[in-house]
Amino acid sequence: MDLPGVREIVDGRSRLPWQAGDAWLAGGTVLFGASRPDLKRLRDLSTWGWTPLAVTESGLVVSATCTLAELLSFAEAPDGPWPTGRALIAHCCRAFSSSFKVWNTATVGGNLCAALPAGPMISLAVALRGVCRVLGLDGRVRTVPAEEFVTGPGSTVLHPGELLRSVELPAAALAELSAVRRVSTHPWGRSAALVIGVRAPVTAGLTVAVTAATTRPLSVSFSRVPSAAELRRTLREVFTPDLAFEDVHGRADWRRHLAEHLAEEVRRELAEEV
């Protein structure tokens, strides 16, 4: 898709005032994926030169400009840290309904900021209790829990001019056991429901995150692996009918039912590990 309205591309580090028609440019796969006649100026994030990934004592820092290919390469590298966490990362990377060409261009930050319900990087960040670092044009930084970053389809907490700098995934979450269930109406299609469960190895506490079936990410946590009835009851309390997403890939009531079914499969798999 062309962007005929764009008149200039400027250095992402520019202090030019933010104006209507501005947009941040990372991989560009979202910007060029649909008609955007409102865009006038792109601010190129590649000029920042951010390191894609950094392993620290606290966990994994994923730059917003880290590509899917770079993240997947880290996840599948032999003898790396957090084998269970990296397996989950790889699974979410492969949930993209796109070609390898897109994987080498699309970025983690772009997937989060696009705020599509089916965005697998949203699912990953929420399930691993990620924290988003948001940078303003004035240099100010604020942190937002990943679960609160996306507020609806195509909507985030970002204010005009703000950008997503990185996502920090804590080491404790990366070390937990995980189970993933995903359903699409086509083998390479967009996710209709994506459910991830993570279980703490010591306390056996369980967190279940639901995306794709919802207009915004949802998660429920338990101090232990719950019964099937307890999980279903708790999910229904938070996953109210008004939060069920509906489009050509699936009806809202079907997605809501599907999320419950996949959550139970995740619960059973992780219960067997206790």
Side-chain angles (χ1 to χ4, degrees), residues 157-172:
V157 298
L158 292 175
H159 302 310
E162 284 189 322
L163 61 92
L164 177 61
R165 169 63 182 87
S166 61
V167 180
E168 299 176 3
L169 305 176

Side-chain angles (χ1 to χ4, degrees), residues 23-72:
W24 295 107
L25 171 65
T29 56
V30 173
L31 292 180
F32 288 91
S35 177
R36 296 290 300 273
D38 57 313
L39 295 185
K40 307 299 180 185
R41 179 170 65 186
L42 302 180
R43 296 172 178 255
D44 186 7
L45 289 176
S46 67
T47 59
W48 288 86
W50 293 330
T51 301
L53 296 155
V55 176
T56 70
E57 291 184 358
S58 301
L60 180 65
V61 180
V62 184
S63 168
T65 52
C66 174
T67 66
L68 271 296
E70 290 170 328
L71 184 61
L72 182 60

Side-chain angles (χ1 to χ4, degrees), residues 26-234:
T29 56
V30 173
L31 292 180
F32 288 91
S35 177
R36 296 290 300 273
D38 57 313
L39 295 185
K40 307 299 180 185
R41 179 170 65 186
L42 302 180
R43 296 172 178 255
D44 186 7
L45 289 176
S46 67
T47 59
W48 288 86
W50 293 330
T51 301
L53 296 155
V55 176
T56 70
E57 291 184 358
S58 301
L60 180 65
V61 180
V62 184
S63 168
T65 52
C66 174
T67 66
L68 271 296
E70 290 170 328
L71 184 61
L72 182 60
S73 178
F74 166 79
E76 296 184 334
D79 303 322
W82 314 300
T84 55
R86 288 189 297 112
L88 175 58
I89 292 173
H91 196 119
C92 289
C93 285
R94 296 192 178 282
F96 273 84
S97 56
S98 55
S99 69
F100 74 93
K101 294 180 180 180
V102 173
W103 286 19
N104 282 278
T105 305
T107 62
V108 173
N111 191 249
L112 278 155
C113 294
L116 298 175
M121 294 298 98
I122 301 171
S123 309
L124 176 67
V126 171
L128 292 180
R129 303 189 295 278
V131 175
C132 299
R133 292 181 64 83
V134 175
L135 178 64
L137 284 174
D138 57 2
R140 295 182 182 178
V141 177
R142 65 187 180 102
T143 58
V144 181
E147 187 176 358
E148 300 174 9
F149 185 78
V150 174
T151 57
S155 175
T156 70
V157 298
L158 292 175
H159 302 310
E162 284 189 322
L163 61 92
L164 177 61
R165 169 63 182 87
S166 61
V167 180
E168 299 176 3
L169 305 176
L174 286 162
E176 294 177 349
L177 298 172
S178 63
V180 185
R181 294 293 186 275
R182 172 180 176 266
V183 167
S184 171
T185 54
H186 185 276
W188 299 105
R190 181 175 292 179
S191 299
L194 201 164
V195 178
I196 301 174
V198 290
R199 183 181 70 79
V202 177
T203 64
L206 177 68
T207 295
V208 176
V210 180
T211 55
T214 57
T215 57
R216 58 175 174 80
L218 297 175
S219 71
V220 292
S221 296
F222 304 87
S223 59
R224 50 169 176 73
V225 176
S227 66
E230 185 180 0
L231 173 61
R232 182 171 58 253
R233 181 173 62 253
T234 304

